[in-house]
Amino acid sequence: MMNSRYTKPVNKVKWQNIVIIFVLLFMLISALPNLYSDKLTVHLTSKNAQSEPIAAQDINRLLVKHKLAIDEIRASAAGTAITLANSADQAAIEKLLTEQFSANYTIDSSIENNAPAWLKVFHGEPIKLGLDLSGGVLFVLDVDTERALFDKLQGIALDIKSLAIADRIRLSNVSQPNNHSITLSFSATKYNTVAQLLTKITQSYPELTQSKISNSQVTLAYSAAEQAKFRQETMSQTLKTMRGRIEELGITEAVTQKQGKNRIRIELPGVHDPEEAKRIIGATASLDFYQLAQHSNAVGILQMRDKSGRQLRMNSQVVFSGSHIKNARSGQDEMGMPLVNLTLDAVGGKKMSMFSKQNIGKPMVTVFSEFYRNANDEMVKKSKVINVATIQQHLGSQFSITNMSSPQEAQELALLLRAGSLTAPVTIVQQRSIEATLGVDNIDNGIKALTIGIGITLVFMFIWYRSLGLIANAALGLNLISLLGLMSLLPGTVLTLPGIAGLVLTVGMAVDTNVLIFERIKEELKRGRKVLFAIESGYKNAFSTILDANITTMITGIILYAIGYGAVKGFAIILCLGILTSMFTGVFVSKALTNLVIRENKSQLLGVKL
Amino acid sequence: MNNLLLKQHETLSKFRIISLYFATALVIFSLLGIFSKGLNLGLDFTGGYLTEFTTEESLTQQNMEALLSSYLPDSFSLKSAENGRHWSVQQADNELSLKGKVWLSDFSEQSALTIIPLDSIYIGSQVGDELINQGGLALITSVIMILLYLSFRFEWRLAAGSVIALCHDVIIVLGIFAWFDIPFDLTIVASLLAIIGYSLNDSIIVGDKIREMMKRNNQQSVESMVNLAIKATIVRTLITSGTTLATILAVWIFAGESLAGFAMALFSGVLVGTFSSIIISATVPQLLGLSVEHYNPAEQELCSLP
């Protein structure tokens, strides 16, 4: 203050004040987009130049008859634009208009924000609304990584069996005592030959740890670290697959995140019917390609029946699996039969090329596997043979699966394959669908509660503290603006119904900062200090108390944020941000305002005679 | 004048001690409720299905129950609000309930009622068990973290006073939920943590004042210093609690059914939190033997403050 170049005798402009004004302006601009909303506009454009635009009255009459509310209709030579009052009505209105006008007009809709042009320059975004305010569908999936680990080991065990057969080593038993280890049993005299097999196994599966139990038993196990790594990989792969599937469904605003150790939380705002989304998200489809076994009596063989009941014996080793599929499109062959065209990635292409070159004229089996829950709530893997095709030629990275039963089946398989296959079975453990109307009600109620809560607080503060109360009220208003601005700015903050309650609570508690300061000033005045000095030391001395009180609330807020999900997380975010903004406005902004307003020549302040 | 003040101090001390007994009795009574009746755990913790819908027609509970029983294969619990227009149906998470998955659409087609679906929730039963652990863990971690912070910032006796006060608040709120059989869901856990934050806020402000007076050390007894500190902060405590309670009341009344339990927990929590910050958090350190000497070596620190 002393060495400020801007110091003037009457009106002091300190650099702190400039920073405060700048920050507040920035917050205001960030908060403003919340006043405006995204409006859905349906456009009717005539297909040929002759047909005239439909009169606004006609459309309005039609919509009023069906009790559908709209904001405005604009008819011009280019076409008619209908702005909807409630975006929840989109489907109903589009259906109605299609029935009436689709012969001569094309109907499409777009989302526009009704903010003024100057505000759009700043590219501000309104606060994202949680599912309980916007309506939509929530899924929480449980990923069974244990099962995936078990399956992986089962594959390895089969592989070991075929390796042993190829090397003519007799193993008396290969078993899986638990989901992370395999036990090999053999007669003690064969230990040396088995040792060779073990070196081979180590070469192909370096992640397995070998331990000798006795001369006739060896255990191969995933170490704790490898298990953790496997689970993590499975989770991230499942997460990626889920994002792919949701993208395939055409939902853009979805939130997909990991929740806890083995859960995935998927929020789909705006989705009305959970069943379709559920079928695609919950499916655990995977596709594997097998070679038919050469020796019919060999061990390490998978047996399966195809649709006609024919027994098939396949080599347990997968030629390649669905994870190598880069793209899948459904289509038709020359005969009009549905099929799925596949494009493989580089690794898969190489594998396929190698395999098909050596096996021309031999059959290849395509197996489709899916997990589902049976009546006893156990996870069951159901595999079925889609087709058995003879390899006609040397195949590359592009080929197709024929013999699909219906075009719809082909489409769904293509979608699932495109979005990636899952190695771990998933179960929906939590599901919630919230209608958009409930969301609108929740917002209305929340805003009502907020307005009344603020109203009471403002009136009380004015009556109790008079002129300083007005400063506290101004600080409270600025606090609310800053909080809204901060929430709009930070990505990942979501406003939920408990969040609105948090907002109201923050308002009630925000005055605390000012009350503490004012009580302190009163104390100083009663001790006979001069007005400006009392204000100065009041702000200074109250600050450490304010800091202590807020840090502890912040600790609980952060813990709540760390463990909570969804609506509770929304509450925690507001609690934490509210503490930050209330300290900023309550201490710094109101100090600046006090300096601006209060002059030395007061006869009375805070009820204390001077 | 001095005499009068002194007399007031003594009444305040008496009031504090009597209230402390009262608080202890309340805590015991609440614990009794928690352990004998138990908490009425909501859907978040038990798992199951919840369907909410509204009807344009107003119905009595019995009528609706009779109508629904033919559509729902398993037992269910029905709650109504808004004069028999807002309904919520809760079913357990088992095979039987699963069969009636699409009952609402069947029901709205076949009954003569105009039904608007609002919300449908399914929570698996294993999710609930985890949530109970998580919620408990969150409460315990926050108490430990706060105890650490306070011990670092204040004398341990003052810290203990604040923590005992916040345990008192949480137990009484839990007791209210147990005795009145109010559904306890995830948002209530959130409100408990908010109550912890709020209760501490109050306790710290009283504690801060006590510390300040001790540092000034004007040859008074600990008892009268504590009383002075309470008197100095009582206006602030009442104003802040008043505005906070008023805003929570606004949420309770206007923000709708889904926040009612949340607002109730906060309201009772702030109410007992205000009480405990005056009675417990200042009295317990005194009983633990807080004395002026504990702040004497800290006198140099006073000068370093800006």
Side-chain angles (χ1 to χ4, degrees), chain B residues 160-175:
Chain B
S162 311
V163 171
I164 290 172
L166 77 86
C167 289
H168 158 266
D169 302 342
V170 170
I171 290 171
I172 287 182
V173 174
L174 284 176

Side-chain angles (χ1 to χ4, degrees), chain A residues 140 142 259-260 262-263 274-275 278 373-375 377 428-438 441-442 445-446 448-450 452-454 456-457 460-461 464-465 497-498 500-502 504-505 507-509 511-512 515-516 519-520 522-523 527 540-541 544-553 555-556 559-560 563-565 567-568 571 575, chain B residues 44 52 86 95 101-102 116-127 130-131 134-135 137-139 141-143 145-146 149-150 153-154 186-187 189-191 193-194 196-198 200-202 204-205 208-209 211-212 216 232-233 235-240 242-244 246-248 250-252 254-259 262 266 270 305-306:
Chain A
V140 177
D142 184 83
Q259 170 175 323
N262 51 356
R263 295 275 158 75
E275 293 308 316
K278 197 169 159 180
R373 273 188 188 265
N374 67 4
D377 210 34
I428 293 175
V429 288
Q430 191 175 338
Q431 183 190 335
R432 185 170 185 194
S433 54
I434 303 155
E435 301 297 321
T437 47
L438 180 64
D441 279 356
N442 281 344
N445 290 338
K448 206 198 284 169
L450 184 63
I452 291 165
I454 292 175
I456 296 170
T457 311
F460 175 81
M461 285 303 278
W464 195 265
Y465 288 117
L497 191 59
I500 292 182
V504 182
L505 189 65
V507 169
M509 287 170 68
V511 293
D512 187 39
V515 173
L516 273 171
E519 289 303 312
R520 199 79 199 205
K522 229 184 214 176
E523 222 172 274
R527 268 190 216 150
K540 197 177 274 174
N541 289 333
S544 85
T545 311
I546 293 169
L547 202 63
D548 271 339
N550 282 324
I551 282 177
T552 45
T553 315
I555 292 175
T556 55
I559 290 170
L560 197 56
I563 64 128
Y565 291 106
V568 172
F571 175 72
L575 205 61
Chain B
D44 287 342
E52 274 184 54
H86 181 279
E95 273 304 298
K101 219 169 18 180
V102 287
I116 304 155
L118 289 177
D119 198 345
S120 88
I121 307 173
Y122 163 68
I123 293 171
S125 42
Q126 72 270 44
V127 179
E130 284 171 24
L131 280 178
Q134 267 184 5
L137 194 72
L139 287 177
T141 342
S142 55
V143 170
M145 295 286 285
I146 285 158
Y149 176 78
L150 290 181
R153 202 77 178 84
F154 291 92
L186 204 56
T187 55
V189 177
S191 70
L193 278 163
I196 289 181
Y198 186 86
L200 271 171
N201 206 328
D202 273 1
I204 282 169
I205 280 154
D208 236 23
K209 202 77 198 176
R211 178 172 66 173
E212 192 193 322
R216 231 181 259 154
T233 51
V235 176
R236 171 266 153 200
T237 306
L238 290 182
I239 290 176
T240 308
T243 54
T244 310
T247 51
I248 294 169
V251 173
W252 194 349
F254 299 105
E257 192 70 5
S258 36
L259 278 183
F262 181 73
L266 277 178
V270 170
L305 278 172

Side-chain angles (χ1 to χ4, degrees), chain A residues 67 205 239 254 297 301 308 321 361 453 476 488 509 577-578 582 590:
Chain A
K67 288 184 187 157
Y205 303 104
L239 211 56
N297 288 325
I301 265 180
S308 55
S321 66
L476 191 62
S488 314
M509 287 170 68
L577 293 181
S582 77
S590 69

Side-chain angles (χ1 to χ4, degrees), chain A residues 246-247 249-255 268-269:
Chain A
I246 290 161
E247 223 167 89
L249 283 172
I251 302 161
T252 46
E253 300 253 303
V255 180
L268 307 172

